Amino acid sequence: MEITDQARDLLDQLLEDVDEGCLRLYFAGYGCGEPDIGMTIAEPEADDELHHINSIPVAIDQKIIHLTEELIVEGKATMEGPKFQMLGLPEKGC
């Protein structure tokens, strides 16, 4: 998994603003027969694997850890606030 420098800067500000938690990737159900990955700022759960990626604390649900190996988190500042995108997810058959 990779977090781009721009995403890191935005995430760092978010984590500072909420003053707790980390970036958490979790199993978010199935879409088109494949697992979906959700992304939030939250406290790690008991079965999460903890990592520091590009200086960002990251908790990854063990159910989806294998899906995050090639994952790239990009971010950009917008008028509505920061927006994040996950790239490198396996193609879905929909």
Side-chain angles (χ1 to χ4, degrees), residues 26-83:
Y26 60 92
F27 173 71
Y30 286 96
C32 300
E34 298 291 327
D36 283 333
I37 297 175
M39 184 168 57
T40 190
I41 302 293
E43 290 295 325
E45 294 194 5
D47 61 342
D48 289 348
E49 261 191 40
L50 302 176
H51 300 269
H52 270 82
I53 301 170
N54 201 6
S55 301
I56 298 295
V58 180
I60 305 172
D61 185 337
Q62 287 185 17
K63 291 186 223 74
I64 51 98
I65 194 98
H66 64 285
L67 298 173
T68 64
E69 293 170 2
E70 303 294 322
L71 187 69
I72 300 170
V73 177
E74 288 191 336
K76 66 179 180 178
T78 70
M79 296 294 280
E80 296 84 29
K83 300 288 182 197

Side-chain angles (χ1 to χ4, degrees), residues 1 3 7-26 37-45 48 50 53 55-60 73-74 82-84 86:
M1 182 177 161
I3 296 175
R8 177 204 58 214
D9 295 344
L10 293 167
L11 286 164
D12 195 43
Q13 184 61 50
L14 279 173
L15 290 168
E16 187 176 303
D17 289 348
V18 298
D19 197 31
E20 61 183 35
C22 62
L23 178 65
R24 182 167 187 272
L25 303 178
Y26 60 92
I37 297 175
M39 184 168 57
T40 190
I41 302 293
E43 290 295 325
E45 294 194 5
D48 289 348
L50 302 176
I53 301 170
S55 301
I56 298 295
V58 180
I60 305 172
V73 177
E74 288 191 336
K83 300 288 182 197
F84 297 96
M86 291 185 278

